[in-house]
Amino acid sequence: MILQVHDVTKRFGGLQALTDVTFDLHPGEILGLIGPNGAGKTTLFNVINGVYTPERGRVSFRGEDITGLPSYDVARLGLARTHQVVRPLHELTVRENVMVGACYGREKHSLKESRRLADGSLEKVGLLDRGNQPSGSLNVAQKKRLELARALAARPYLLLLDEVLAGLNPSEIASMMDTVQAIREDGVSILMIEHVMQAIMSISDRILVLDYGTLIATGLPGEVANNPQVIEAYLGDPN
């Protein structure tokens, strides 16, 4: 397993954000993470990549216990992520933003080498021709791709994608899905949070469902889509 999450519990004061969450992620897998708003999905990401330390449980990455390690150490081990709210470094160009990922990723590249890696990542996400532009000049879809390129430049083994499809139109969603699939084909394992159900169900090998911080279902996309507990979590109890 490339990632093992075992009995992870996280509280914020009196709020129980995650309760005994346990799952594995296989090498080369795309694992979808879904659930209603406030279910704890981003909190789980933050525990995995070291933003939060859980009250209980552990996170193992490539056989190493990384529970509570700071995010920069987790990144050095080869675990990168994107964020739901994209915040590029506006004072830097598109290329320079991506170079940051290469410099602080698992291979600790020099500035010269990070430029080469940045251009490779920008080409993969379709932004190479915008490398010299100020990052603040990009539209929403382009900023999503910039965020993805910066994470890829860190040369991760595992990529956490937090709503990379949010705010995109149907053609942009289709293009981004092709990009995500290409990343997996390059050997990167993926855990992705998404609210665009048709997209996440079509691209994921398996699906996890969180509701009120509890893992209520896991399985193949078709199994999860027809799970009564999942349907109730999204639509409410019909009775």
Side-chain angles (χ1 to χ4, degrees), residues 100-172:
V100 170
C103 289
Y104 291 96
R106 68 178 174 89
E107 295 175 346
K108 307 177 185 178
H109 286 290
S110 66
L111 281 175
K112 181 178 179 180
E113 183 64 12
S114 69
R115 183 182 180 90
R116 182 186 66 81
L117 275 174
D119 282 353
S121 296
L122 287 170
E123 185 173 19
K124 185 171 289 293
V125 304
L127 284 181
L128 182 58
D129 61 337
R130 299 185 183 275
N132 293 323
Q133 287 185 213
S135 60
S137 68
L138 300 181
N139 62 31
V140 171
Q142 291 164 343
K143 285 178 179 177
K144 292 274 187 179
R145 289 184 173 274
L146 172 57
E147 179 94 345
L148 184 55
R150 186 164 55 188
L152 287 176
R155 304 278 286 168
Y157 300 110
L158 173 60
L159 184 57
L160 309 184
L161 301 179
D162 195 348
E163 295 198 43
V164 292
L165 306 181
L168 305 187
N169 64 39
S171 66
E172 291 166 343

Side-chain angles (χ1 to χ4, degrees), residues 7 20 48 57 101 111 135 147 150 156 164 169 173 176 203 233 237:
D7 285 345
D20 298 329
I48 292 170
L111 281 175
S135 60
E147 179 94 345
R150 186 164 55 188
V164 292
N169 64 39
I173 288 173
M176 182 66 88
I203 200 172
D237 187 346

Side-chain angles (χ1 to χ4, degrees), residues 8 35 45 81 94 97 122-123 127 188 199-200 218 222-223 229:
V8 162
F45 266 27
R81 72 172 291 182
V94 169
N97 265 268
L122 287 170
E123 185 173 19
L127 284 181
V188 179
I200 193 73
T218 181
E223 296 169 347
Q229 198 172 0

Side-chain angles (χ1 to χ4, degrees), residues 149-222:
R150 186 164 55 188
L152 287 176
R155 304 278 286 168
Y157 300 110
L158 173 60
L159 184 57
L160 309 184
L161 301 179
D162 195 348
E163 295 198 43
V164 292
L165 306 181
L168 305 187
N169 64 39
S171 66
E172 291 166 343
I173 288 173
S175 178
M176 182 66 88
M177 295 289 281
D178 289 341
T179 299
V180 171
Q181 191 67 263
I183 291 167
R184 187 255 286 273
E185 289 169 2
D186 283 345
V188 179
S189 306
I190 295 171
L191 175 61
M192 61 186 299
I193 295 171
E194 199 48 67
H195 283 292
V196 182
M197 284 298 148
Q198 185 175 359
I200 193 73
M201 289 294 181
S202 68
I203 200 172
S204 299
D205 299 302
R206 291 186 298 134
I207 299 283
L208 306 174
V209 189
L210 275 179
D211 189 33
Y212 293 107
T214 300
L215 193 61
I216 63 169
T218 181
L220 299 175

